[in-house]
Amino acid sequence: MNDFPKYEQNRRTADRGVTLVKQVIEDEFRWIFRPTPLEHDFGIDAYIDIITENNQVTGRYLGVQIKTGASYFLTKKANGWLFRGDLKHINYYMNLNHTVLIFLVDIDSKDIYWVEFDLDKISETKSGWSIVVPENQKVNKEVKHIFKKMAGSELDYLSQLKYQWAINEEFMKDEVAIVAIEIHREEIENLDIEGLVTLQKRLTANEDMVKKCKGKLTFVIIGYDEDSRELYEIPEVRQWAKLALHEFKYWGYFLNMDGDISKYYGLGVLFSCCVDYKIAEKDIMMNSYMEMDDEQTNDFVGFLFHWLNILSDEFGIPETINREQSSKITKIIYGEDMIG
C-alpha cells in the first residue's frame, strides 16, 4: 500500500488557501475567481475578474499570488509581515498589463491579508526582494471598491464605435460636401491629436471610404475668440499644428481645398502655423503681408506630396486625381498652379 502518490502537507495547505480566497471573492465580492493551472503558474496563482453590480463581466481583472500557512507570518514588522519574493518575478510582474496583488492566508483564523506589488514599496534582499503585507489590509467586501479601482475603469467601446460609425456615415453621404472637425482649445494646449489619429484610421479603413472622402474634410480651431492674436501668432497652436501635420499626414487628399475655405480654415491655417514667417511691408501704402520661410514652405509642400503619393499607391488612386490634388496644394501655398 506504499505505491500511491502522496498528497503532501504543503500542497494541502496551499490548496486550502486558494479555496479560502475563492470563497471570499465569489461569496463576498460576487466576482469570478479563476485559478491558474499549475503548469501555467509563473508567479500568478489566480485571476480575479471584475463583475459590475448588474452582473456584467467587464474584461478588467487582477492577478494574485497566494501564499498560505504559518511560515509566511514568521517575520513580523511593526505594521504587518515581511513577504520575500524571487527576483525573476519582478520583470514578469512589471510587464503584465494588470495589477498584481499578494495575498497571505492565515489558515487558523481564515483571514486573508493583501498588498499591491509596487516597485516603490519593495526592498532588496540577499536573494531577491521583500515587501511588507500590512496587518490592517484584510481581503473582505470593504476593500472591494479599492480592488475595482486598481483594475481600472471599464470603457463602453460600443458607444464610441457607434459614434465613429455615425461619422463614417456622414462622410459617405454624397450630398455632404464638407465635414468640419472642431479642434478645441483644450486639445491644443494638451497637444492632443488622438482624435485626428483616430479619424485618419477611419478615413483610410477601406478603398470605398478613401474615395468617398476626398476633399470632404476641414477643421476649425475654437476657443480663441477672445484672443486678439491670429492663430499663427499663438505658440501653443503652432506647436499643435506641427505635431498634427506629421501625425494625420493625408491632408493633401482629405482636406477641402476649393474656394476661400482653404485660406481661412484647413490647409491655410495648417500652413501658416507650421512655417516660420515675418511681417513685411509691401508698398508705399504701407500695406503689410506675411513673408513665409521659403525652405520651410517647400518642405511643407514636400510632406503633403509625399503622403499623397503613399495614399495613392496604397489605395490605387488614379494619377489624374493625384495631380489634381497636387495642383490645388500648390495654388493655395504658392498662389499658382505649379503642376499644370
Side-chain angles (χ1 to χ4, degrees):
M1 294 295 293
N2 292 324
D3 296 329
F4 287 89
K6 295 185 67 175
Y7 187 30
E8 301 291 350
Q9 183 59 41
N10 61 343
R11 176 69 178 277
R12 182 192 299 272
T13 300
D15 287 348
R16 288 181 66 191
V18 171
T19 299
L20 281 173
V21 174
K22 174 182 172 67
Q23 183 177 353
V24 171
I25 297 302
E26 293 184 345
D27 292 349
E28 296 191 32
F29 285 56
R30 308 293 291 176
W31 290 349
I32 296 174
F33 180 84
R34 291 185 288 121
T36 304
L38 287 177
E39 63 269 24
H40 296 150
D41 179 3
F42 303 108
I44 299 295
D45 296 306
Y47 294 94
I48 298 172
D49 290 303
I50 311 302
I51 308 298
T52 69
E53 299 303 319
N54 296 324
N55 296 321
Q56 295 173 318
V57 183
T58 64
R60 309 300 299 181
Y61 60 93
L62 302 166
V64 186
Q65 185 177 61
I66 303 170
K67 296 300 182 182
T68 307
S71 62
Y72 292 101
F73 295 90
L74 293 177
T75 308
K76 187 72 172 67
K77 294 295 182 180
N79 62 334
W81 299 273
L82 196 66
F83 170 79
R84 295 179 175 86
D86 297 327
L87 283 177
K88 62 184 179 182
H89 286 145
I90 292 180
N91 275 334
Y92 178 59
Y93 288 165
M94 294 308 299
N95 278 285
L96 294 173
N97 60 359
H98 56 76
T99 297
V100 175
L101 300 176
I102 298 168
F103 285 1
L104 298 188
V105 182
D106 186 329
I107 287 293
D108 295 329
S109 67
K110 294 184 170 50
D111 288 324
I112 305 167
Y113 303 90
W114 68 274
V115 69
E116 178 185 5
F117 177 82
D118 186 338
L119 283 182
D120 293 331
K121 295 179 180 178
I122 68 174
S123 300
E124 185 181 15
T125 65
K126 291 183 179 180
S127 59
W129 53 274
S130 65
I131 191 170
V132 174
V133 182
E135 190 173 7
N136 63 351
Q137 291 190 175
K138 291 186 179 181
V139 179
N140 51 44
K141 60 183 178 182
E142 277 71 33
V143 298
K144 180 177 179 179
H145 69 285
I146 299 177
F147 286 4
K148 186 178 187 300
K149 186 176 181 180
M150 287 179 175
S153 300
E154 63 274 6
L155 298 176
D156 187 354
Y157 287 101
L158 185 56
S159 294
Q160 295 183 18
L161 187 57
K162 287 181 178 179
Y163 174 72
Q164 293 296 336
W165 286 341
I167 293 177
N168 289 3
E169 185 178 350
E170 193 69 18
F171 271 108
M172 293 289 281
K173 291 178 180 177
D174 292 328
E175 65 272 19
V176 174
I178 299 176
V179 177
I181 304 300
E182 292 184 346
I183 308 297
H184 293 261
R185 183 169 185 163
E186 183 180 359
E187 295 175 80
I188 298 291
E189 293 176 347
N190 292 329
L191 293 179
D192 181 2
I193 57 164
E194 184 178 349
L196 282 178
V197 172
T198 300
L199 177 61
Q200 179 174 263
K201 290 178 181 178
R202 288 290 170 189
L203 295 178
T204 57
N206 55 64
E207 186 176 340
D208 288 340
M209 193 70 177
V210 170
K211 291 181 177 179
K212 280 280 190 179
C213 295
K214 179 178 75 71
K216 280 192 174 183
L217 176 67
T218 191
F219 67 90
V220 181
I221 295 176
I222 61 176
Y224 293 90
D225 293 343
E226 297 180 2
D227 196 315
S228 61
R229 295 172 296 177
E230 298 292 342
L231 288 173
Y232 60 79
E233 296 177 306
I234 303 174
E236 60 264 32
V237 175
R238 294 182 63 83
Q239 190 176 5
W240 176 90
K242 291 176 181 179
L243 181 62
L245 170 66
H246 293 276
E247 292 297 332
F248 184 82
K249 294 185 175 65
Y250 305 129
W251 301 104
Y253 181 84
F254 291 114
L255 275 181
N256 184 284
M257 294 183 285
D258 299 325
D260 289 339
I261 188 172
S262 60
K263 297 179 182 179
Y264 305 109
Y265 303 98
L267 189 60
V269 171
L270 190 67
F271 172 60
S272 65
C273 290
C274 286
V275 176
D276 290 340
Y277 66 93
K278 64 179 180 180
I279 302 299
E281 292 181 352
K282 186 175 183 180
D283 52 30
I284 195 170
M285 299 299 294
M286 303 298 288
N287 293 323
S288 61
Y289 67 99
M290 290 176 61
E291 192 173 87
M292 313 304 289
D293 182 280
D294 289 339
E295 184 176 351
Q296 291 182 23
T297 296
N298 292 335
D299 287 343
F300 180 88
V301 173
F303 288 136
L304 298 186
F305 283 177
H306 173 66
W307 293 323
L308 177 59
N309 290 336
I310 289 177
L311 189 71
S312 298
D313 291 341
E314 183 175 352
F315 291 95
I317 296 171
E319 178 65 23
T320 53
I321 293 179
N322 186 298
R323 291 180 63 84
E324 173 190 336
Q325 295 301 109
S326 299
S327 295
K328 290 180 179 180
I329 292 171
T330 60
K331 189 172 183 179
I332 291 171
I333 303 303
Y334 297 114
E336 60 180 314
D337 182 353
M338 301 179 67
I339 302 299

